[in-house]
Amino acid sequence: MARFVLVHGSFHGAWCWRRLVPLLEEQGHEVIAPNLPGSGGDTAPLENADLASYATRIASVIDTLRGPLILVGHSMGGIVSSQVAEWRPHRIAATVYINGLMLRPGESLVSFLDAHAHLGVEDLVLKNMQVAPDGETASFPASAAPEVFYNSCTDEDAAWATGQLRPQRLKVYSDPLALTPERFGSVRRFYVEGRRDNAVSLAYQRSMVDYTACEEVFSLDGDHSPFLSAPNALAGMLEDVARRSL
């Protein structure tokens, strides 16, 4: 048995794992999928949502559990997972980034995008998200979500997931990661890339892996949301990580 802690990405909530969790539980694994502060059904004020509060939430969940675990971060949840791996390296057997933002020490998403502008990637998340007048939060329009997040999903799943999206505070994108080789660097890393991801482009994903080596990169011919579009394949990859790490 493995213990998985799943960290969702921007605009999403714990609801996004609904097809993956039963598959892992059927194999005898324990799965914990919390909402980040202000996300999904969480009632914390959105104005307090940032990297520190996100990482604190996940670290607090880990502190209630016994034994080693596998930390899984999707998209922006990868930033959170990295910070938690720095804080709790002795508790984490492995981190898995699913189309995740696997950034370097001192880096933020904003600085990463600036440094990679030469790739000429059209960032469909930034292009489509609707920023509030105060510049603090953004929402994602239902008209764009199926193309950007769920382009390999069934129409039914894409429509359902689109209806669950909630506003995202933007501060986490500019918060830099505080990571060290001794702590974050000691935790085993695995990456699941989505070759048809329209949210975190494959060029970005592969650049991150080039900078921060992983023990293995799994590849899916799928979209940004394999927990909905390819849950069986994703569950198999996570079980592979568990077999190697625990």
Side-chain angles (χ1 to χ4, degrees):
M1 186 201 79
R3 181 173 292 108
F4 293 95
V5 176
L6 311 181
V7 186
H8 66 78
S10 299
F11 307 103
H12 288 67
W15 53 264
C16 73
W17 307 106
R18 72 167 187 167
R19 293 202 185 281
L20 179 66
V21 170
L23 296 175
L24 294 173
E25 290 179 337
E26 285 169 8
Q27 299 303 314
H29 304 304
E30 180 181 359
V31 186
I32 301 93
N35 283 307
L36 294 174
S39 300
D42 187 78
T43 58
L46 190 58
E47 58 266 25
N48 295 337
D50 57 12
L51 178 56
S53 68
Y54 288 169
T56 297
R57 170 67 58 84
I58 301 303
S60 297
V61 169
I62 289 173
D63 290 344
T64 68
L65 305 173
R66 297 180 63 185
L69 56 91
I70 296 171
L71 186 60
V72 180
H74 172 245
S75 193
M76 178 275 292
I79 303 176
V80 182
S81 295
S82 293
Q83 194 60 69
V84 175
E86 171 73 18
W87 291 357
R88 301 289 189 277
H90 58 291
R91 297 297 318 282
I92 300 170
T95 53
V96 183
Y97 297 81
I98 302 174
N99 301 346
L101 298 177
M102 189 174 63
L103 306 180
R104 291 176 288 176
E107 198 169 45
S108 68
L109 176 58
V110 170
S111 68
F112 173 87
L113 294 176
D114 288 345
H116 291 78
H118 64 281
L119 295 178
V121 172
E122 182 182 30
D123 192 310
L124 294 180
V125 176
L126 296 181
K127 177 182 177 180
N128 285 285
M129 71 182 188
Q130 299 171 339
V131 179
D134 63 5
E136 290 291 317
T137 62
S139 57
F140 208 85
S143 58
E147 174 194 1
V148 178
F149 295 144
Y150 314 116
N151 50 295
S152 295
C153 294
T154 65
D155 290 344
E156 180 182 6
D157 279 345
W160 173 80
T162 295
Q164 310 302 313
L165 298 176
R166 296 293 180 269
Q168 169 69 45
R169 191 177 185 221
L170 300 178
K171 186 174 183 296
V172 67
Y173 301 148
S174 58
D175 287 340
L177 278 165
L179 308 176
T180 62
E182 297 77 18
R183 297 178 68 82
F184 167 75
S186 70
V187 180
R188 299 170 73 174
R189 292 182 298 274
F190 297 82
Y191 201 96
V192 179
E193 67 173 24
R195 298 197 301 274
R196 290 193 286 147
D197 188 343
N198 288 336
V200 179
S201 78
L202 187 59
Y204 285 160
Q205 294 178 54
R206 291 184 172 173
S207 178
M208 287 184 282
V209 171
D210 285 343
Y211 286 126
T212 305
C214 292
E215 192 165 323
E216 181 162 345
V217 177
F218 301 95
S219 190
L220 278 172
D221 183 28
D223 61 11
H224 189 61
S225 306
F227 38 75
L228 293 176
S229 60
N232 287 286
L234 181 57
M237 293 171 181
L238 293 177
E239 289 203 64
D240 189 358
V241 172
R243 283 192 294 270
R244 300 192 208 183
S245 306
L246 296 172

